[in-house]
Each structure stands twice: as C-alpha cells, then as structure tokens.
Amino acid sequence: MAVPLKYNLRNLFVRKFSTGMTILGVALVVMVFLLVLSLAEGVRKTLTTNVSPLNVVVMRVGAQSDVQSFIENERFAVIQGLPGIARDAQGQPLVSPEVVPLINVPRKDGKKTNVVVRGVLPAAFGLRPMRIVEGRMFREGTSEAIVSRRTQQRFAGMEIGDTVKAGSEKWTIVGVFDANGSPQDSEIWGDLHDVQSQSKRTGGYSIVRVRTPDRAARDRFIAAVKGDQQVKLDAKPEDVYYAEQMGTAKPLQFLAYFVGILMAVGASFGAMNTMYAQVSARTREVATLRALGFRRWSILASFILESVLIALIGGAVGAALAVGIVNTVLSDPTGTNNFNTFAEILFNFRLTPELIAGGMVFSLAIGLFGGFFPAARAARLKIVNALREA
C-alpha cells in the first residue's frame, strides 16, 4: 500500500504547536548559517570584483601584500623597459607605480583601525574601472584625496571638505568614488608624490601595477621580471594576487561551517525529540495504519517525509529571515581585518541564490537525520503491542 501522505499532512495542522516549534528551531539554524556564510561571501566577492587577469602586480620577493613591499626607483626604471607591457592611445606604457601607507583613523563607532592610503598617478585609473560619484578628482601635487563610498560610510570624518589626519599626515577629502565593490572600495586615494612625501617614501614605491595586452604577453612579462637579476622582484597576475588575499575569508568560512554544524546537530536532536514525541503520542494511529494494510516501509517513509517537510518549511522561513536581515539591518558596509595588509577590508553581506540553495539542502539534511530514527521506531511497532500501549 502507498505512503499515507494525507495522514502526515493532516498531522502538521492537528499538532500546530509542536510543528511550529520545530519549524522555528530549524529556521533559526538556517538563518544563522546563511548569515555567517554571506559574511564570507562578501569578502570573496570584494576580492574578485574588477580584478583583471591581464594586470600584473610587481612586488618585493617574499612580500604577501603591497603594504609589505618596497621597490626602489632604480628597479622601477628597469621594470618600465621590460617586454610585454601594453600601451595607451598615446603610446605610453600602462604602468602604475603606487605607494601604500597605512593610517589609523576612527570608525563611526569610535574604534580606531587601519585604512590604506594609495598614492597614484593618473595612469592608475586606466587599469581599474572607477568613477567619481560625488565632488571631484584630487589635483596633482596637492594634499587632496578621494575616498570610496564604503569608506565614507564606515569611517568618521570622511565627508567632502573634511581633513583626514594621522600623525603628521593629513589629506583633505574632495571627492567620493565608486569602484563597484572591488578591493579599492576600502581605500583612500591621493596624489602619488604627495603621499610619498607625507609618508617619507620618496625613494621608491610599494608596488607597480602593469597592464599587458594578452595572456601570452603577461606570461612573458612575469618571466622577464623573475628572470632579471638586476630587478630581483616577484610578479604575479592580479587575480592570483587577490586570490591569495582570500585567506582573510577562510576563518569566516570555517566559523560558518563550525557554528552551522553545531547548531544543526542541536536542531537535528530537537527535530528528533519532537518526532519521537509525536510517534509516542500517535501509537494508536500507527497501529491503525498497520491494521489498514500499510506496510512497515510505508510507515518509515511517511514519518521521514513528514520530518523533511517540516525541516524544508523551516529552511524556507530561515532563508526568508536571512534575506530580510541582509537587506535591512546589515545593508551598510562592514569590515574585517586583512591579515596580509593589516588594514580593514570593507564589504557588504552578500546572500546569493547559491547560498540560499545550500541553506535549503542544509535543512533537508536536518530533516532526514532528525526524522530517520523516530520513523524507524514507528515502523517497528507491532500492531497488537501498539494497541495495548495505547
């Protein structure tokens, strides 16, 4: 005989309180699981947006980020003459020397943290898709600066006209830019020579960024940098460089799965306890179903399906709650420390369809695990004994 689905569906409404509490428990687990994963996804998305595989970053050998690197002026002069560099419409090589000091400034909550100030030449804007969304561009040779929209929202004193101070260094904010959620959305940008002077790094640059016309030229340029004994520097594609920065997100991903698994175990035992209670309360009904001709496997399948259905409803509720929280309470930029640059990387929580699908699979697993053993107990009940117990 088929699985008594109508009986299981009716039971969900007859026992509203226990059904509702189980749905709520699963929903909370899935919601927390998705929120923590959306945090890690925000970091990953930030470090991969607008990152070009044709851009090459040149740094000191052994440096893990531009903050830790330094390239002397003499070496930079050699880099500009290496093969494989693309040129702009005026025939100039697309090379961007950059200085990257850190400054310690207060967030809007009053706590201080490090922010990257990037000194650049106009060539830097040809290697990254950025646009001014408020105010204007800084002028060369001045202590003017522009900040990203996220930086403006995250830190105090970043409005146009404000002066950012850190020790003897100071810049006047004249514009706000949008880098489309890329790593540059965590930074302050100013004139290269002014930043060099204020940070006392006039002898060289932190990093050199180069655009190559294609992958073959990129590989030739990287080989030239690594093989030049006069330069003795390291070079890697920009996407590889930022992929290595993803170490920042790994602790968050580990935390998401660790917390999620702990909570899932708790939720599974909660669902199991609920289903055990329902089996005990429905001993007479199970015996009646068996007497009507439903086989053991039908009883087993019916209780597992009931548990899975409850868990899936809980998963859907949890996903809806997570979407609502991300779009309202957590809509502003947040930040976490980048262990390679020692500066904050700013990002928004990102809840993708893939993460939501993962949350539903997670709730399905809770339903299967939580429902199997109570279902097996129900299937093993003997008709005569069950009727006597009832």
Side-chain angles (χ1 to χ4, degrees):
M1 186 171 286
V3 177
L5 293 178
K6 188 175 180 180
Y7 161 74
N8 295 106
L9 290 174
R10 179 175 172 275
N11 178 70
L12 298 181
F13 296 96
V14 171
R15 296 173 170 84
K16 296 178 182 176
F17 181 76
S18 61
T19 300
M21 293 304 294
T22 307
I23 289 175
L24 179 61
V26 175
L28 292 176
V29 170
V30 173
M31 181 192 73
V32 173
F33 181 69
L34 289 177
L35 287 179
V36 181
L37 277 184
S38 67
L39 185 70
E41 176 64 14
V43 177
R44 189 200 67 78
K45 185 69 175 177
T46 296
L47 293 178
T48 56
T49 298
N50 287 344
V51 173
S52 172
L54 298 182
N55 285 348
V56 177
V57 294
V58 183
M59 299 188 300
R60 176 178 60 80
V61 174
Q64 295 181 316
S65 72
D66 45 13
V67 173
Q68 304 171 12
S69 175
F70 188 76
I71 300 173
E72 295 81 359
N73 291 329
E74 297 76 13
R75 293 185 179 184
F76 171 64
V78 176
I79 292 172
Q80 293 185 95
L82 295 176
I85 301 176
R87 295 183 178 275
D88 61 16
Q90 288 73 42
Q92 297 299 314
L94 288 172
V95 178
S96 172
E98 300 167 5
V99 172
V100 189
L102 294 179
I103 60 172
N104 194 253
V105 294
R107 297 196 301 245
K108 288 189 173 179
D109 62 7
K111 298 180 181 177
K112 284 192 169 184
T113 188
N114 292 330
V115 175
V116 166
V117 177
R118 189 174 296 274
V120 299
L121 293 174
F125 295 91
L127 277 72
R128 306 173 176 89
M130 297 171 57
R131 61 190 178 93
I132 299 292
V133 295
E134 186 180 350
R136 61 174 175 81
M137 177 61 67
F138 60 80
R139 292 175 297 186
E140 294 182 48
T142 68
S143 58
E144 295 177 344
I146 56 176
V147 298
S148 72
R149 179 67 78 191
R150 282 181 179 172
T151 303
Q152 184 187 46
Q153 294 172 335
R154 178 75 168 169
F155 294 93
M158 296 289 176
E159 300 297 326
I160 292 179
D162 289 344
T163 298
V164 181
K165 296 180 181 178
S168 61
E169 301 167 300
K170 59 181 180 181
W171 290 273
T172 301
I173 306 301
V174 297
V176 180
F177 67 86
D178 179 9
N180 196 28
S182 68
Q184 287 72 48
D185 267 336
S186 305
E187 301 178 352
I188 300 171
W189 280 32
D191 174 68
L192 172 66
H193 303 299
D194 175 71
V195 177
Q196 276 184 313
S197 175
Q198 293 206 49
S199 61
K200 299 178 176 56
R201 302 186 185 190
T202 54
Y205 312 95
S206 302
I207 190 173
V208 176
R209 198 175 303 264
V210 172
R211 171 65 60 82
T212 57
D214 51 49
R215 291 178 182 270
R218 180 198 67 186
D219 295 341
R220 284 200 308 275
F221 176 77
I222 292 175
V225 171
K226 293 184 175 180
D228 194 315
Q229 294 303 310
Q230 186 180 0
V231 173
K232 293 183 179 178
L233 294 172
D234 191 16
K236 60 187 72 174
E238 190 178 55
D239 54 347
V240 174
Y241 170 74
Y242 282 113
E244 293 173 354
Q245 306 288 309
M246 275 299 293
T248 299
K250 289 180 180 176
L252 296 175
Q253 289 176 321
F254 173 78
L255 177 66
Y257 287 111
F258 181 71
V259 173
I261 290 172
L262 285 182
M263 296 187 70
V265 170
S268 297
F269 278 108
M272 191 183 301
N273 185 55
T274 301
M275 293 303 294
Y276 267 125
Q278 295 211 14
V279 169
S280 298
R282 291 149 66 181
T283 303
R284 182 193 293 272
E285 297 171 12
V286 172
T288 302
L289 289 171
R290 292 292 313 284
L292 289 174
F294 287 98
R295 303 176 69 84
R296 292 182 187 277
W297 72 266
S298 297
I299 302 299
L300 175 70
S302 72
F303 275 85
I304 290 178
L305 287 175
E306 184 176 320
S307 174
V308 167
L309 180 59
I310 291 173
L312 287 176
I313 294 173
V317 173
L321 288 173
V323 170
I325 291 173
V326 168
N327 291 328
T328 55
V329 181
L330 301 177
S331 59
D332 288 337
T334 186
T336 185
N337 191 51
N338 185 328
F339 301 116
N340 290 326
T341 65
F342 309 109
E344 267 209 344
I345 179 170
L346 305 182
F347 59 93
N348 290 85
F349 282 76
R350 297 188 65 88
L351 197 52
T352 64
E354 291 78 12
L355 288 185
I356 293 175
M360 294 304 297
V361 172
F362 190 48
S363 65
L364 174 65
I366 293 174
L368 285 172
F369 181 75
F372 178 78
F373 295 102
R377 180 178 183 277
R380 289 198 304 269
L381 286 175
K382 294 182 179 179
I383 299 176
V384 175
N385 293 339
L387 290 174
R388 284 176 179 171
E389 290 178 12

